[in-house]
Amino acid sequence: MTHLKKTPLDLLDDIYSLAYWMTGNEKDTADLVNMTYVNLHGSAAETDVLKTFRACYVDQYGNEAQLCISEQDCRPHVTLLEKFREWSADIKLSVLLSEISGLKHEQIAEIVGKPVETIRKWLFIGRRIMVKDMQLKASA
């Protein structure tokens, strides 16, 4: 089976779906999609588009520390919280890239910058978490 090369414009629907699942609302989705495409050149490869999307997401949403009680509590833990949020975002993005974009493990590993075995573990964990989260939302 041959893999067709997609242009940035061909990926627009996938990027929008990814952004919506990652942000949860239409305004943030539109902002994230716009930010992604502003940072691309017209002939960017599929992997570069998705790497840019990831970078924009982490830059825009990855620095929101929600686990702090006060600002003083956050200061010594900022790097740990940032890493945790990036890790969470990468797991979710990995699952969505697999399910929405149909990318293979190797492609996702290249985009996220992690080994293929890590991506396989993340997909296993992430799918279970997302299913449970959807079940909780449906029962609420």
Side-chain angles (χ1 to χ4, degrees):
M1 175 183 225
T2 57
H3 183 69
L4 299 174
K5 291 186 179 185
K6 295 180 180 178
T7 67
L9 191 56
D10 294 335
L11 294 169
L12 185 59
D13 287 340
D14 286 353
I15 295 295
Y16 185 88
S17 295
L18 291 168
Y20 189 79
W21 276 93
M22 296 295 286
T23 63
N25 69 64
E26 290 183 29
K27 182 193 177 307
D28 289 342
T29 296
D31 291 345
L32 184 55
V33 170
N34 288 334
M35 190 182 330
T36 300
Y37 278 84
V38 163
N39 289 299
L40 289 174
H41 56 81
S43 61
E46 181 177 4
T47 302
D48 293 331
V49 174
L50 295 167
K51 283 182 180 181
T52 302
F53 170 80
R54 176 185 175 268
C56 290
Y57 177 81
V58 170
D59 184 50
Q60 184 69 25
Y61 301 98
N63 294 326
E64 299 171 4
Q66 298 174 348
L67 301 175
C68 299
I69 296 170
S70 69
E71 283 186 33
Q72 290 177 340
D73 291 339
C74 289
R75 288 187 189 128
H77 308 291
V78 169
T79 56
L80 178 61
L81 289 174
E82 287 175 1
K83 289 294 181 187
F84 179 71
R85 290 187 58 80
E86 184 177 321
W87 177 74
S88 298
D90 282 344
I91 289 175
K92 187 173 184 179
L93 179 60
S94 296
V95 171
L96 295 173
L97 286 172
S98 175
E99 299 302 322
I100 292 174
S101 299
L103 297 183
K104 295 181 180 185
H105 297 174
E106 294 82 13
Q107 294 170 297
I108 297 168
E110 184 180 343
I111 291 163
V112 179
K114 298 292 180 189
V116 174
E117 191 56 38
T118 299
I119 298 303
R120 287 186 178 119
K121 290 175 186 174
W122 283 2
L123 290 173
F124 177 76
I125 293 167
R127 286 179 178 130
R128 295 181 98 190
I129 290 170
M130 290 180 77
V131 166
K132 286 183 181 188
D133 185 47
M134 289 173 34
Q135 288 172 341
L136 287 173
K137 287 179 181 176
S139 66

